[in-house]
Amino acid sequence: MRASVLRNQPCAPADRPVDDARVLRAVGGIMSASSSVDARFFGMLVERCVTEMGADGAWAHFHNEADSPVQTVFSTSCQVSGRGDLAAASAAVHALLRGGAALYLEKRSASLPQTPWFARFGAAACVAYPIGGDEGALAGHLALLFRAKPGRAGPYIHALQALGAFARHALLDRPCRDREADGLREVVAQYEAVFQTAPVLVNVFGDDGKCLLWNEECERRFGWTMEEVNAHPEPLALFYPDPAVRAQVKASVGAEPSRLFREWHPLTRSGETLSTIWSNTRMPNGRVINIGLDITERKRAEADIVRLSRIDSLTGCWNRAEILDRLSQRLVWANRGGAGFTAMMLDLDHFKQVNDCHGHLGGDAALQHFCELLRACLRENDAMGRLGGEEFLVLLDEADARAGHAVFERLRFCLHAQPISLGGVPAVLTASAGIAVFGPGDATATDVLRRADQALYQAKHRGRDQAVVHQAGA
């Protein structure tokens, strides 16, 4: 049995006439009716081939690989009563298409497969066109059935050729799209993993204030889960209780969020204030993604470095540069009408003898003991610093000469009451002090220090273990 392609033959009187325009319109309508090729598309195709193209039946048959199941979509008109295996009919046509060319099969020439279904349907002719697969494989075919032989098969063959090419393109593209989709899903999963586990703070808040994204670092550092954040009536208030600061935060992620890092100080669940920097980027969907770095430890380390650069490493009080800078600041403030202060310069008596008798370790211990007792005699706003060796400077805020003398007397009492053990032997330390109260004529720190130094000299000259107040005009 040899199938043949019917070319443009003249229409025999008994043949069904063919409306080329109707067939063409049907093809255009089918191809524009759906943006995707799936089972619903092929169901629509076979039905419209019957209702709009003039066929009596139609099917779309898929049989790409040997181990893949056969799938066939039939028009409702193909369901005839009585015996007849419709699947066997479509399989028989598919077998004839192995050559890869369009087929025109008809009962009269005995090229129509001899299956019970064709007889039950009353088929006089069948037009079939192969759907090619990868590397020349046969993926399936489209078929039109006629109870009256059409006058010309050409229009139907061209119609099925166009529909088959359209279907083939979509069917072959689908695995590529599926692979691309799988690749995109993998990329999304990878980005999700990066988002969740990255050692940076990443979150997104919606226009209603609710948190939409909250990665593991946010949960770890702030102490709240996203559900707990959203359970709060105003989630942002958890981190920024001050309404004014909260308004500034909201403004920073407004219509034009800044991608430049800006420092903020949110609270954690435990009440700790963090130092963080945030960059805000608006995404294509309009959401603003906030990416932050927790720099709390770095800021603390920097503050420690700065503090250590201003502290005397042996005694823990301010070093010479820092205490003189603080004296200058107080002087500027006082000259501008601020509160006055009193400066007290102290010198540990007979310190050379301590070093000579007990060595430098003993001298260091004596300085540390002296500073510990002196610090206990001062208020929080007072400042003490080591000028060098055994010489110290104390700045007493809002204090007059009597207050300065009272501080020295407390220190003197503590030194006598709490001797230091040097080499296993208790030793009582004493100190001398010169006290100078800020005056309107003090233009520079040197003016104050000179007067305090003069008073200290007088205290030592009078026998040490005492304080002398510099008298105005002296």
Side-chain angles (χ1 to χ4, degrees):
M1 183 189 314
R2 183 177 177 82
S4 61
V5 176
L6 183 64
R7 303 190 183 280
N8 293 330
Q9 303 173 354
C11 180
D15 295 344
R16 175 185 296 179
V18 179
D19 186 343
D20 294 47
R22 179 186 180 189
V23 173
L24 183 62
R25 285 194 302 270
V27 171
I30 292 169
M31 293 175 66
S32 63
S34 177
S35 60
S36 62
V37 175
D38 52 19
R40 289 176 299 178
F41 169 80
F42 285 107
M44 176 271 296
L45 182 151
V46 297
E47 294 299 336
R48 293 181 68 163
C49 283
V50 173
T51 59
E52 300 177 19
M53 205 175 287
D56 295 304
W59 69 58
H61 179 100
F62 308 98
H63 191 178
N64 192 12
E65 299 176 359
D67 59 348
S68 64
V70 176
Q71 298 180 358
T72 311
V73 179
F74 302 97
S75 66
T76 55
S77 61
C78 290
Q79 306 298 329
V80 296
S81 61
R83 295 180 58 189
D85 189 346
L86 183 52
S90 67
V93 173
H94 190 77
L96 294 174
L97 286 163
R98 294 294 182 185
L103 292 178
Y104 175 72
L105 310 169
E106 60 177 26
K107 181 179 180 181
R108 185 174 60 186
S109 65
S111 61
L112 198 67
Q114 301 302 307
T115 67
W117 180 85
F118 280 108
R120 298 294 302 175
F121 185 77
C126 174
V127 177
Y129 194 88
I131 300 176
D134 290 326
E135 300 179 355
L138 184 61
H141 69 268
L142 301 176
L144 301 178
L145 285 300
F146 300 89
R147 290 189 174 94
K149 186 173 72 70
R152 289 176 294 116
Y156 295 107
I157 290 176
H158 295 323
L160 293 185
Q161 181 182 19
L163 293 174
F166 178 73
R168 177 182 181 278
H169 177 73
L171 289 172
L172 292 181
D173 280 353
R174 181 181 297 173
C176 295
R177 291 197 302 270
D178 290 343
R179 287 192 294 271
E180 290 177 357
D182 290 341
L184 287 174
R185 281 190 288 270
E186 182 178 354
V187 170
V188 170
Q190 291 174 349
Y191 275 106
E192 176 70 14
V194 170
F195 159 77
Q196 286 295 343
T197 61
V200 295
L201 306 167
V202 184
N203 60 55
V204 174
F205 284 81
D207 295 336
D208 59 355
K210 295 299 182 182
C211 184
L212 304 176
L213 292 175
W214 187 256
N215 75 341
E216 293 175 3
E217 184 68 5
C218 283
E219 183 173 334
R220 184 193 71 81
R221 198 63 188 95
F222 289 109
W224 286 289
T225 65
M226 187 168 75
E227 292 74 17
E228 290 171 331
V229 171
N230 285 331
H232 194 275
E234 190 173 0
L236 207 58
L238 289 171
F239 314 100
Y240 304 100
D242 187 333
V245 175
R246 196 158 61 247
Q248 293 175 3
V249 173
K250 291 179 179 179
S252 71
V253 293
E256 297 182 1
S258 174
R259 299 181 66 178
L260 298 177
F261 279 99
R262 179 175 176 181
E263 187 169 345
W264 298 96
H265 300 94
L267 292 180
T268 68
R269 187 171 194 161
S270 64
E272 178 186 5
T273 300
L274 301 183
S275 293
T276 59
I277 54 175
W278 293 88
S279 173
N280 315 112
T281 302
R282 187 171 296 282
M283 305 301 287
N285 63 359
R287 301 291 188 194
V288 175
I289 184 168
N290 310 303
I291 302 176
L293 295 174
D294 178 14
I295 60 171
T296 306
E297 293 303 321
R298 191 186 81 186
K299 296 285 282 189
R300 287 173 180 167
E302 290 175 351
D304 287 343
I305 292 173
V306 172
R307 185 178 61 84
L308 289 174
S309 69
R310 298 153 57 191
I311 287 179
D312 177 64
S313 59
L314 175 63
T315 62
C317 63
W318 299 121
N319 60 22
R320 179 182 179 88
E322 180 64 21
I323 194 65
L324 292 180
D325 183 61
R326 289 175 176 250
L327 171 59
S328 297
Q329 293 177 21
R330 281 169 168 77
L331 193 63
V332 170
W333 174 249
N335 279 317
R336 289 178 178 176
F341 64 94
T342 290
M344 180 166 58
M345 189 176 292
L346 298 111
D347 191 274
L348 203 57
D349 295 333
H350 307 295
F351 184 69
K352 185 177 183 301
Q353 295 178 12
V354 175
N355 274 334
D356 292 342
C357 295
H358 304 284
H360 289 293
L361 291 180
D364 290 347
L367 290 173
Q368 292 169 341
H369 178 72
F370 172 77
C371 287
E372 182 180 349
L373 297 180
L374 174 58
R375 189 177 291 109
C377 298
L378 302 179
R379 300 165 300 176
E380 182 179 356
N381 293 333
D382 297 333
M384 58 178 286
R386 184 183 181 191
L387 295 176
E390 69 276 21
E391 193 171 48
F392 296 84
L393 177 65
V394 172
L395 304 177
L396 305 171
D397 278 348
E398 300 183 33
D400 55 15
R402 292 179 58 186
H405 201 278
V407 169
F408 177 80
E409 286 301 318
R410 285 198 299 273
L411 172 63
R412 182 172 176 275
F413 173 81
C414 291
L415 288 172
H416 282 267
Q418 301 179 50
I420 182 175
S421 177
L422 295 174
V425 179
V428 175
L429 301 177
T430 64
S432 301
I435 299 173
V437 180
F438 164 78
D442 293 326
T444 66
T446 303
D447 296 334
V448 178
L449 290 175
R450 183 175 59 251
R451 292 191 290 110
D453 187 56
Q454 290 174 357
L456 174 61
Y457 176 80
Q458 293 178 21
K460 286 182 173 293
H461 186 69
R462 293 177 184 179
R464 297 182 172 84
D465 194 22
Q466 60 184 284
V468 172
V469 177
H470 185 276
Q471 300 297 326

